Amino acid sequence: GAGGLWSSIVSQITTLDSVTNAVDRGMTALDRHMSHDFNGSMPAAQLPHGTQAGTIHPGAMVAPGAIVEPGASVHGGAFVGAGARVRRGAQIHGGARVESGADIGEESMLHGGSSVGCQAVIGARTQVCGGSQVGPRVRVGRNCFIHGGCLVGQDAVLGDGCVLHGGCRVGAGASLGDAVTMHGGSSA
C-alpha cells in the first residue's frame, strides 16, 4: 500500500543524498588537489626546474623556469612567462599576462586584461587594472595603482605611491617621482 511505497521513496532519497554527499566530498577534495598541485596539466612533482607552486589554476599557463611563490595565485586563463617571478601573496587574474623575466611584488594584483612586459618590476602592493600595459624593463614602485587603459612605455620608472587614472600614458624612458598622481587621459 501507500506505507510501503512511501518507505521505498524515503529509502531512495536517503541513498541519493548519500551519493550526492559522497560526490560533493570527492569534488571538494579534487578541487583542493588541483588548485595546489597542478600547473596546467603537469603534476607539481613534475614542474619545471625553478618553479615553485603557489596556487596555480589548471587553466593557467606557467612557463618553465617561472617561480610562483607559496601564497601567490595564478588564476585560470592567466599567463606567466619563463623566468618570471610572482611573489608571495600576489594575484594574477585570468586574462592577465606576465612576460618573461618580469617580477611581480608581494601582495600585488594584476587584473584580467592587464600585461607586464619582459623584465619589468612591479613593486609590492601595487595594482594594475584591466586593459593597462606596462612595457618591458619598466620599474613600478610599491603601493601604486594603475587604473584601466593606461600605457607605461618601456624603460619608464614610477616611484612609490603613484596613481595613474584611466587612459594615462607614460612615455618610454619617462620617470615619475614618489606619490605622483596623473589624471585620466594625461601624458608624461
Side-chain angles (χ1 to χ4, degrees), residues 51-164:
T51 304
Q52 300 170 15
T55 302
I56 302 171
H57 186 276
M61 296 178 56
V62 177
I67 297 173
V68 178
E69 293 183 356
S73 297
V74 180
H75 298 249
F79 172 81
V80 178
R85 181 178 206 110
V86 180
R87 295 187 182 270
R88 187 173 305 278
Q91 293 193 30
I92 312 301
H93 289 266
R97 292 186 62 86
V98 177
E99 298 296 341
S100 300
D103 189 330
I104 308 303
E106 290 185 1
E107 300 177 15
S108 289
M109 185 178 300
L110 302 184
H111 296 269
S114 63
S115 66
V116 174
C118 296
Q119 300 175 348
V121 176
I122 303 295
R125 295 171 305 283
T126 288
Q127 287 196 46
V128 180
C129 294
S132 288
Q133 298 177 10
V134 175
R137 298 175 308 280
V138 168
R139 300 290 181 258
V140 177
R142 297 177 308 244
N143 302 307
C144 293
F145 197 100
I146 301 174
H147 288 266
C150 292
L151 176 62
V152 181
Q154 67 182 24
D155 300 309
V157 177
L158 278 65
D160 293 340
C162 288
V163 177
L164 305 183

